[in-house]
Amino acid sequence: MNKPLPTHNLSIYVANRPGALARIAQTFSRRGFNIESLVVSAGVTGDFSRMTITAKGDAAGLEQIIMQCSKLVDVLACREHTDEEVVARELALVKLAVDSARRGEVLQIADHFHAKTVDLSETSIVLEATGSSEKLDAMVDLLRKFRIIEIVRTGKVIMARGERET
Amino acid sequence: MSENHTNGAETLIRSLEHAGIKLAFGIPGGSAIPIYDALYKVRRKMKFVLVRHEQGAAHEADGYARATGKPAAVLVTSGPGATNTVTGIMTAYMDSVPMIVITGQSARGMLGKDAFQEADVFNLTMPIVKHSYLVRSANDIPRIVREAYHIATTGRPGPVLIDVPKDVGTELCEVGLEADMNLPGYHPEPKGYTPETIRQIADALAHSRRPVIIAGHGAAISRAEQELRQLAETLQAPVTSTLLGKGVFPDSHRLSLQGLGMHGTAFANRAVVECDLMISVGARLDDRILGVASQFCKNAVKIHIDIDAAEFGKLVKPDIRCRGDAKTVLQDLLPLVKKGDTADWIKRIEGFKKKWPMGYSRKGGLHPPQIIDALNHLTDGKAIMVTDVGQHQMWAWQFYHCDNPWQFISSGGAGTMGFGLPAAIGAQFGRPGELVVAIVGDGGFQMTMSELATAAIHKLPVKVILMNNHYLGMVRQWQDMFYDERYSGVDLEGNPDFVALAKAYGILGLNLKRAADIPKVLQKALAHPGPVLVNAEVVHHEEVFPMVPPGKPLEETVMEHPRRRRGRPAGRPGKPAAAGKKTGGAQGRKS
Ligand SMILES: Cc1ncc(C[n+]2csc(CCOP(=O)(O)OP(=O)(O)O)c2C)c(N)n1
Ligand SMILES: [Mg+2]
């Protein structure tokens, strides 16, 4: 049996140019790496973007990808971070089909995970939760006993702790 | 438009000239007409060459760059004009050749609407360019061209593509040619290493008793030939070179092992197998030289010098990695290198050379290696040798001996058939006073032979030697050796009369049919002031040896056909290959 492939956190700082995202995505797909989540947002100034990528694959392949991404003309930095080195957050919106009878049970779970109710109707509820991806996974798992209509997650964003650069 | 106003296309042509582009190849078309109009109106120093196929344009720019170290431009139209350059761009990319490709594009407002001749060339070429641009405003052109030239020519060189929508070409341009570059993520460092790395390398070298140097294209690109020679002579280490590294260390040098890998010399491969230290100078250590990557130099210390960090560990994990320009690294390293204690090793290598010399059959017809050997003598190893791809390419590599870099021009990483003739044309444009010889096969030549027109029109005295074996020979060799002689799709029946073809272009065409005529025909070709096509009717069945069979380590370099046993004809059933039977020569089977 194949060992499950490890998940890696990558942070890429890139000049905000047309095509930059496509070039980076190609670097992954060419090596058969599956991108699990990808978050692109503005950097400190609009001239730069920050990409946070989580991807599954073997370590040697990842090292190649990091070097190939670093080599792209638009890329200023491409780094891998272990979970311990970073603050990692993700936001999830979960829409559940619940009527007033079972709402209390849902709210109890939400409370445990510090999730907020951001929309409520006779038949549905939308929860907003923030935290580590693992925490969100755990919450979603518990909510599965209700009928989940939709889940939207932002994907993980990370920032290096202390003086280190992300 | 007032006098001092200029449009995007004119700015483009002026910017290319301003950057230092001396030569452009191409074919116009609808979306490129503004660019060609500007060429007509404002071109001054840059020469323009109208080609017959855009693939030819790209290979010509490529050959020019490999022969001179400077990029040329390719100017083509959108859609099919641009896609016809794709093979040429990929060829340049794989071999780290600088090139500026300008493609016309549909007008901005039509992008993404499947306009006539619209192709998304920016995305289409993304994996085969060093960088690329889709120009959105005429005012960006001076900056983009300056950046493109800088990116193409620095660090590890490569092709850069600029896609220019038609209406950007006609848009008013309000900026001058002097533009600042804005490349915050691009830092090609000739010194991406620390003095500590250099000390480590020197230390490893000092402890080696059986060192081998592998010289690659990077050493040639950075013109590190003197430093490399000094390193080899001080260390007393043998040097083998990759296909693209040929010439950066003189083939004629006592310490030269010539080429390594799949069709390298048996002595180079053996030296690599037995070495205790391998130092690669500007070679990316690709699968054609490694045999089996995991077994390559298994017990040796591996030192990898490369300007491109992404090459480290791609196939071979180095013990010491040193990111930098080959010449710069060697200049820093040489003061620390002590005379090597390698007398026994060199003696052993002399033994390998005696045991497995390079040789070829001379019997039963005309043999390509024989022709190359003769050329080598007639030209004193001084010609710029350009090859196409196939068996003839390997024979040219094995039997033409070069002592200088930028002298042997061949498509390595891409192995692009059709490269030879146009690349030779480009090389001749770049070095007009020198002898340029193109060694081509009947298969590859027919892919770009329309470029004979370019040679004829510009009176380029390129000498094309066509090794006409009536086969896609290299594929036939694999089918012969590894597929039980099931020749599938390799018979080039219907080859034209190449001498008549040459004449049709107004070029001197010569037939070469007998070995005895080699000197006469070649001398006539070399003495002719214009382009020449020599159709050499070589044996149909002949294999390139030595060979490391695919999937085998360098240890298993074979010197002759493994299945060619006594009594077994060398040709396919019903077509005994009298001419192809190995009957003599240093590698011939003893019978
Ligand atoms: C464009 C392209 N198509 C196919 C190949 C595969 N290929 C490699 S060598 C070869 C045969 C080349 O035949 P020819 O040009 O006659 O040279 P020879 O090997 O006979 O010397 C082929 C088909 C290639 N390298 N490039
Ligand atoms: Mg052939």
Side-chain angles (χ1 to χ4, degrees), chain B residues 87 388-393 395 414-418 440-445 447 467 469 471-475 492:
Chain B
T87 303
D388 210 89
V389 167
Q391 291 184 308
H392 62 279
Q393 173 190 32
W395 284 314
T416 303
M417 287 170 70
V440 301
D442 46 331
F445 176 68
M447 291 188 178
M467 301 293 184
N469 53 10
Y471 270 119
L472 295 170
M474 185 55 95
V475 180
L492 290 176

Side-chain angles (χ1 to χ4, degrees), chain B residues 259-265 268-269 288-291 397 546-548 554 557:
Chain B
L260 83 160
M262 184 169 272
H263 290 298
T265 63
N269 287 352
R288 278 297 182 270
I289 69 163
L290 297 179
W397 181 42
M547 179 174 196
V548 182
L554 296 181
T557 305

Side-chain angles (χ1 to χ4, degrees), chain A residues 17 23 63-64 67 71 73 75, chain B residues 132 182 185 308-310 312:
Chain A
R17 303 277 162 80
R23 283 181 224 275
E63 196 191 344
Q64 273 298 313
M67 290 194 292
K71 163 175 156 177
V73 167
V75 170
Chain B
S132 50
N182 181 8
D308 180 1
F312 299 134

Side-chain angles (χ1 to χ4, degrees), chain B residues 346-512:
Chain B
I346 296 298
K347 209 187 271 162
R348 189 162 168 75
I349 281 173
E350 295 300 334
F352 298 158
K353 288 186 182 178
K354 286 211 185 70
K355 189 164 172 200
W356 300 299
M358 289 301 289
Y360 53 84
S361 165
R362 293 165 197 274
K363 294 198 179 138
L366 189 58
H367 299 272
Q370 224 176 344
I371 302 173
I372 310 268
D373 200 11
L375 262 175
N376 190 34
H377 287 104
L378 286 171
T379 61
D380 201 17
K382 296 282 193 307
I384 298 172
M385 285 299 268
V386 186
T387 81
D388 210 89
V389 167
Q391 291 184 308
H392 62 279
Q393 173 190 32
M394 293 296 109
W395 284 314
W397 181 42
Q398 291 175 336
F399 293 102
Y400 197 84
H401 292 161
C402 300
D403 285 352
N404 291 295
W406 301 6
Q407 199 196 335
F408 187 85
I409 295 174
S410 195
S411 167
T416 303
M417 287 170 70
F419 175 80
L421 172 65
I425 288 171
Q428 188 77 80
F429 269 118
R431 285 158 69 176
E434 294 179 57
L435 173 63
V436 176
V437 177
I439 304 288
V440 301
D442 46 331
F445 176 68
Q446 293 186 72
M447 291 188 178
T448 51
M449 67 186 177
S450 52
E451 289 309 307
L452 283 177
T454 308
I457 292 161
H458 294 273
K459 301 190 171 57
L460 299 168
V462 174
K463 315 300 176 205
V464 182
I465 317 286
L466 171 61
M467 301 293 184
N468 190 352
N469 53 10
H470 299 260
Y471 270 119
L472 295 170
M474 185 55 95
V475 180
R476 189 202 55 75
Q477 172 167 353
W478 282 50
Q479 292 174 345
D480 190 311
M481 292 177 66
F482 313 116
Y483 295 84
D484 244 332
E485 298 180 30
R486 289 188 297 280
Y487 297 145
S488 177
V490 290
D491 191 338
L492 290 176
E493 64 174 343
N495 270 348
D497 176 343
F498 288 110
V499 168
L501 180 82
K503 287 206 183 99
Y505 280 103
I507 286 174
L508 176 64
L510 301 170
N511 269 314
L512 172 57

